[in-house]
């Protein structure tokens, strides 16, 4: 079985993950420190289950090296924007996260060396863009949706257009709880867009309705958005989420998707969930590759299901 077309994700083990500062309304360092030991163990176990589920669904995971002193490094989605083998490295708004930049740069050098990516490039000075957390590829419409406001600069979209040679649509985030686009907006594999209305400015909502057919817009409740249920990983027709609700499950089923849940409660305390913990590294701007991509994921999932009881395979996954 070839892995060339399987979805490929970068992840960072949560060895040093913790909530030690607060840069979004979900983060409470005092609350974390009261239960830090147990929460660190929970994070390890939850992250391993997520990785296992991703692999079992037919995707490939590459790991980067964890580092002390940068507790949010685990949120690989923020490391860069990647398309067609090219990575545009993130620049963070807050100094706490700026410390992650050299670690991510080293991780991308390694991916280029291993031929997983072709090259990595940097943003112009003074422009912040927090990677795929604020820049989401829409294969159907062949454009990037770029979130700005709390973290990324409004000018980031222009830099993205220049680097990748594709159009962008800028979306303004106006609710501090939804500080990255990926907390309130998700593009599903067939081009439907799930979103929480309250996160966006009026003009951005207008733009969304202009660009997307109303049949492809899936509006979710505030409760689902606050549960970070828009922050999912898509593999084939499967959506991996930290939790779900009956109404969200139904909304997704109506569009032909099914939900697979794995708890990420410790990461929610930092304001992140499944999508944030991964970065898709083999997206291409060629929408014709969609069919093969989904087919390969399904083939690999069938293989993985058949292998699921093989003891060594389990041991290896659990050990990582
Ligand atoms: N604590 C991190 C921050 O505030 C969480 C990042 C979550 N990542 C994401 N792509 N939404 O930056």
């Amino acid at each position: 079985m070839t892995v060339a077309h399987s979805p490929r994700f970068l992840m960072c083990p949560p060895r040093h993950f913790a909530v030690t500062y607060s840069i979004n309304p979900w983060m409470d360092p005092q609350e974390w420190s009261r239960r830090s030991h147990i929460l660190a163990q929970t994070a390890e176990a939850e992250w391993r289950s997520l990785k296992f589920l991703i692999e079992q669904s037919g995707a490939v995971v590459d790991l980067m090296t964890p580092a002390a002193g940068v507790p949010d490094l685990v949120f690989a989605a923020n490391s860069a924007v990647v398309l067609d083998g090219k990575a545009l490295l993130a620049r963070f708004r807050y100094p706490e996260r700026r410390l992650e930049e050299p670690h991510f740069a080293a991780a991308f050098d390694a991916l280029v060396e291993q031929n997983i990516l072709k090259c990595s490039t940097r943003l112009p000075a003074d422009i912040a863009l927090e990677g795929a957390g604020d820049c989401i590829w829409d294969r159907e419409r062949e454009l990037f949706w770029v979130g700005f406001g709390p973290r990324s600069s409004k000018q980031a979209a222009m830099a993205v257009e220049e680097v990748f040679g594709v159009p962008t649509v800028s979306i303004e985030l106006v609710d501090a709880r939804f500080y990255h686009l990926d907390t309130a907006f998700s593009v599903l594999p067939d081009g439907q867009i799930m979103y929480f209305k309250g996160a966006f400015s009026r003009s951005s909502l207008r733009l969304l309705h202009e660009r997307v057919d109303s049949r492809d817009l899936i509006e979710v409740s505030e409760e689902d958005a606050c549960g970070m249920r828009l922050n999912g990983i898509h593999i084939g027709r499967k959506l991996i989420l930290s939790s779900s609700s009956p109404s969200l499950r139904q909304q997704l089923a109506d569009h032909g998707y099914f939900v697979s849940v794995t708890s990420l409660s410790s990461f929610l305390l930092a304001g992140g969930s499944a999508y944030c913990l991964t970065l898709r590294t083999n997206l291409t701007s060629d929408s014709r590759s969609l069919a093969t991509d989904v087919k390969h994921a399904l083939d690999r999932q069938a293989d993985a299901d058949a292998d699921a009881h093989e003891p060594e395979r389990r041991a290896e996954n659990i050990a990582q």
Side-chain angles (χ1 to χ4, degrees), residues 23-24 27 72 75 77-78 97 130 133 151 179-180 182-183 231 270-272 275-276:
I23 55 170
N24 71 51
M27 300 175 86
D72 278 333
F75 295 114
N78 295 125
R97 292 209 70 183
E130 302 204 346
R151 299 295 180 86
Y179 56 92
H180 280 141
D182 66 3
T183 60
N231 199 264
Y275 176 94
C276 304

Side-chain angles (χ1 to χ4, degrees), residues 20-23 69-72 92-100:
T20 58
Y21 51 76
S22 180
I23 55 170
V70 274
D72 278 333
F92 290 91
R93 159 135 190 232
Y94 290 110
E96 290 88 341
R97 292 209 70 183
R98 243 175 257 150
L99 297 173
E100 296 171 35

